[in-house]
Amino acid sequence: MSTRHILLGLLSSGPSHGYDLKRRHDERFPQARPLAYGQVYTTLQRLVRDGLAKVEGTDSDGGPERTMYRATDDGERELACWTAETAPPAPFVANEIFAKVVVAILAGGDPAAYLRDQRAAHMARMRELTKVKTTPGADLATVLSADYALSHLDADLRWMSTTADRLATLTAEVTAR
């Protein structure tokens, strides 16, 4: 996920300060890793440096003085280009789970046990996400984020099942080389 573009998108609705951008990010993307304040301010500095955002002024609202930022016309154009780009499908098919299965075979470990444990971890996470999305009053962004994650976890589970069924053949191939 592009923090740069997410912050530009949040700025496109009007001037904001870093604290507000972090709060709005965490509200709009509830299943994403929360942004660190340092990441927000570093990204804002880069956006200003690159001419995609500008300092709009300061605001204190009775508290500490906060710098307000606004997206520039160049920032709006970059944001429009980014949102129009198709996200590329994953370029590589290997992942950490697959790597651990192969390494377990190579190291004389128990790949079947690993797959069982990983399946249990995936199932636990799926239960958590299902609880999140079915909580009364859950907003649509939360439900859709949970659905996205659940779909990926389900695909992993199907892959793990297929791999477990083919483990003897995979072991023979890996150890023959």
Side-chain angles (χ1 to χ4, degrees):
M1 188 163 57
S2 170
T3 302
R4 168 186 181 105
H5 292 102
I6 298 297
L7 291 182
L8 271 176
L10 293 171
L11 284 173
S12 70
S13 63
S16 294
H17 51 79
Y19 177 83
D20 185 49
L21 290 168
K22 187 245 187 295
R23 181 187 55 75
R24 288 174 40 216
H25 168 275
D26 295 350
E27 287 174 359
R28 296 278 183 251
F29 305 97
Q31 297 301 314
R33 176 177 291 148
L35 287 180
Y37 286 106
Q39 184 179 13
V40 171
Y41 290 107
T42 299
T43 303
L44 285 169
Q45 290 170 353
R46 287 183 185 137
L47 289 170
V48 170
R49 178 198 67 201
D50 296 343
L52 302 175
K54 65 181 179 180
V55 173
E56 183 75 7
T58 58
D59 179 17
S60 66
D61 262 345
E65 194 170 89
R66 295 185 175 148
T67 303
M68 301 291 287
Y69 297 87
R70 173 186 292 282
T72 63
D73 290 342
D74 286 345
E76 294 288 346
R77 279 190 289 279
E78 177 163 323
L79 183 62
C81 288
W82 181 74
T83 57
E85 288 176 2
T86 303
F92 305 104
V93 294
N95 65 34
E96 185 174 355
I97 298 169
F98 176 70
K100 286 184 176 184
V101 169
V102 171
V103 169
I105 293 168
L106 289 170
D110 187 352
Y114 168 73
L115 286 170
R116 281 192 303 275
D117 292 346
Q118 188 63 57
R119 182 181 189 287
H122 269 56
M123 294 298 293
R125 181 65 179 141
M126 289 177 85
R127 284 189 292 277
E128 291 170 7
L129 288 167
T130 299
K131 192 175 194 177
V132 164
K133 75 177 237 168
T134 58
T135 299
D139 61 88
L140 185 56
T142 298
V143 171
L144 291 173
S145 293
D147 282 342
Y148 183 84
L150 284 164
S151 293
H152 282 268
L153 291 167
D154 182 60
D156 284 351
L157 285 173
R158 286 183 277 128
W159 179 87
M160 283 184 247
S161 178
T162 300
T163 301
D165 291 345
R166 297 175 175 170
L167 207 46
T169 305
L170 178 62
T171 300
E173 285 182 11
V174 169
T175 56
R177 295 182 186 168

